[in-house]
Amino acid sequence: MFTTNEVKQAEKILFEVLPPRIKQIFASAIYCGMKQAESIWREHPELPKHGRYNAGCQLRFIISYLITEIADNELTARLTYTEASGNTSPVFWWDSRIKIQVKKHNKPEELPEETADRASSAKRNQGSLFEADEFAECYALISYDHKDFKCKYIQIGIPDANYTQWLKAERIEDYIDMDVVEKINKNYSKSLESAFSEEITKQFGLTINE
């Protein structure tokens, strides 16, 4: 069972330490990704029927691409990332001490499915290094869901060290900024189309129509 100090620290990190700008970036990019996926799904009927969701509409690729582009080009956000091999999504870091992963999940009140990496990462969220005013590191998850590419929720939360429940979570749909969404579309939609085309070719041996 987590302690009151851990809950208080999670609240402090979410509401005092992590800047609203970071919540705005993730919320707006995820929302933009949903719209991009919907557009791809509708505009490319040549994708195989079984792949229009698994590939043509895969939000994981689209959202990861958009956020990594923002991290590469907007250095004042202090957002970085590391990439893993295979299909694993990038791991994002704010200020080099808050590890952030993004995961689609249909139950905001519950943690996304436990994996070895998530369980291991959650162990950061306990003890003196976590509870110190100048904490060493922390693990957070951003989860989201949609219905037919319409946003149902987006939230950021900090799980307990045993990865059984949230220490604290905050809904961040209100951080979606349409000016930021427009900027993301303007700056990254063309390069996303190119990257997505390469992904479809790699997965299905197809060239999507321009």
Side-chain angles (χ1 to χ4, degrees):
M1 184 67 179
F2 47 77
T3 69
T4 301
N5 287 340
E6 289 166 348
V7 174
K8 288 181 177 179
Q9 182 70 333
E11 291 175 344
K12 178 180 177 180
I13 291 169
L14 285 181
F15 300 121
E16 298 179 28
V17 178
L18 193 66
R21 172 64 174 151
I22 295 301
K23 298 172 186 177
Q24 182 187 71
I25 286 173
F26 277 97
S28 299
I30 290 169
Y31 176 85
C32 187
M34 292 176 185
K35 296 303 178 185
Q36 293 276 4
E38 181 180 24
S39 176
I40 291 169
W41 177 65
R42 295 186 183 281
E43 293 178 7
H44 296 290
E46 75 277 13
L47 291 171
K49 186 174 181 180
H50 71 280
R52 293 180 70 189
Y53 181 83
N54 292 330
C57 306
Q58 67 165 319
L59 280 176
R60 183 172 68 173
F61 172 81
I62 295 170
I63 290 170
S64 295
Y65 181 85
L66 292 175
I67 299 174
T68 56
E69 286 293 293
I70 292 169
D72 284 339
N73 291 282
E74 299 185 21
L75 301 183
T76 57
R78 291 152 64 190
L79 187 65
T80 58
Y81 63 93
T82 54
E83 293 184 294
S85 59
N87 293 324
T88 303
S89 298
V91 172
F92 299 97
W93 292 86
W94 178 76
D95 198 31
S96 301
R97 58 181 178 151
I98 299 182
K99 179 180 180 178
I100 304 171
Q101 291 183 303
V102 180
K103 176 65 178 175
K104 182 179 181 296
H105 187 57
N106 63 359
K107 294 181 179 180
E109 69 278 7
E110 297 179 4
L111 295 171
E113 181 181 1
E114 182 176 344
T115 64
D117 179 62
R118 289 177 200 140
S120 175
S121 295
K123 294 186 186 305
R124 292 175 166 86
N125 299 342
Q126 67 178 338
S128 59
L129 292 179
F130 173 67
E131 296 175 15
D133 286 342
E134 294 298 324
F135 64 95
E137 55 184 19
C138 167
Y139 175 59
L141 275 162
I142 292 178
S143 59
Y144 66 91
D145 196 16
H146 68 92
K147 181 175 175 60
D148 297 329
F149 305 106
K150 304 297 187 291
C151 180
K152 294 179 69 176
Y153 84 92
I154 308 171
Q155 75 176 11
I156 183 168
I158 297 177
D160 73 301
N162 294 321
Y163 201 80
T164 58
Q165 57 186 306
W166 297 110
L167 286 173
K168 190 66 179 179
E170 178 189 12
R171 295 284 286 262
I172 57 174
E173 297 99 311
D174 287 347
Y175 286 90
I176 296 170
D177 185 310
M178 298 313 296
D179 289 337
V180 174
V181 171
E182 182 178 352
K183 180 180 178 182
I184 292 172
N185 274 321
K186 179 181 178 181
N187 291 346
Y188 308 120
S189 61
K190 289 296 183 182
S191 59
L192 171 63
E193 289 175 10
S194 177
F196 181 79
S197 180
E198 291 178 8
E199 184 75 2
I200 294 302
T201 300
K202 181 172 67 176
Q203 290 196 26
F204 296 98
L206 297 175
T207 301
I208 65 174
N209 297 330
E210 299 292 340

